[in-house]
Amino acid sequence: MNGYYGSTEFKVLAETTKATYRGVLGRFVDKHGEGPIAGLAFKRLKGLMDYAVSAGLRADNPVVVAKKVKLKTTGHRTWTEEDITKFRKHHQVGTPLQLAFEVLLQPAPFRCRAPWLAAPN
């Protein structure tokens, strides 16, 4: 993994992208080590394998021939008044989850203020 982090492919990425990739790949290595690749983002794994080929660690990139699985869904359903009432009963007033829910439930002109309610990083 350290070789990939030092590679040109990785170095040209934006700092925020590097941080994201480190998080994804780090969690993968922590959880799976040399084990199966399930759960690792396809693009991250492709980049890692591209590096492995360029560094002479592999002869090919097996991710290139792998097919992405596309799931057909109907999307998210609209919540009913019953769903909203159930959520409000379950989550106490003043909790971050309940506050976020109430802000996002408001009409669009008010929802645009939601990002400013988050704690600064």
Side-chain angles (χ1 to χ4, degrees):
M1 203 61 66
N2 290 332
Y4 175 60
Y5 294 152
S7 71
T8 304
E9 292 93 338
F10 188 78
K11 287 181 178 179
V12 297
L13 300 172
E15 290 303 318
T16 54
T17 304
K18 288 179 192 176
T20 300
Y21 285 20
R22 281 189 194 102
V24 169
L25 295 170
R27 284 190 302 277
F28 174 76
V29 170
D30 290 346
K31 186 173 182 179
H32 300 289
E34 298 295 322
I37 62 169
L40 184 62
F42 187 82
K43 287 182 181 179
R44 307 299 87 68
L45 187 57
K46 182 181 179 308
L48 180 61
M49 289 294 115
D50 285 342
Y51 162 73
V53 170
S54 67
L57 301 172
R58 283 198 59 95
D60 65 336
N61 183 342
V63 179
V64 175
V65 295
K67 294 183 180 180
K68 290 184 181 180
V69 176
K70 292 195 176 195
L71 301 176
K72 292 187 179 188
T73 68
T74 58
H76 299 285
R77 68 174 179 81
T78 303
W79 278 28
T80 64
E81 288 298 322
E82 182 182 333
D83 294 326
I84 294 169
T85 302
K86 189 175 178 181
F87 182 91
R88 285 179 172 152
K89 284 181 181 178
H90 183 69
H91 298 282
Q92 296 178 355
V93 173
T95 61
L97 190 58
Q98 188 269 342
L99 176 62
F101 172 77
E102 295 298 337
V103 169
L104 294 172
L105 189 61
Q106 300 306 312
F110 297 103
R111 281 198 311 262
C112 70
R113 297 184 180 147
W116 286 280
L117 294 174
N121 292 336

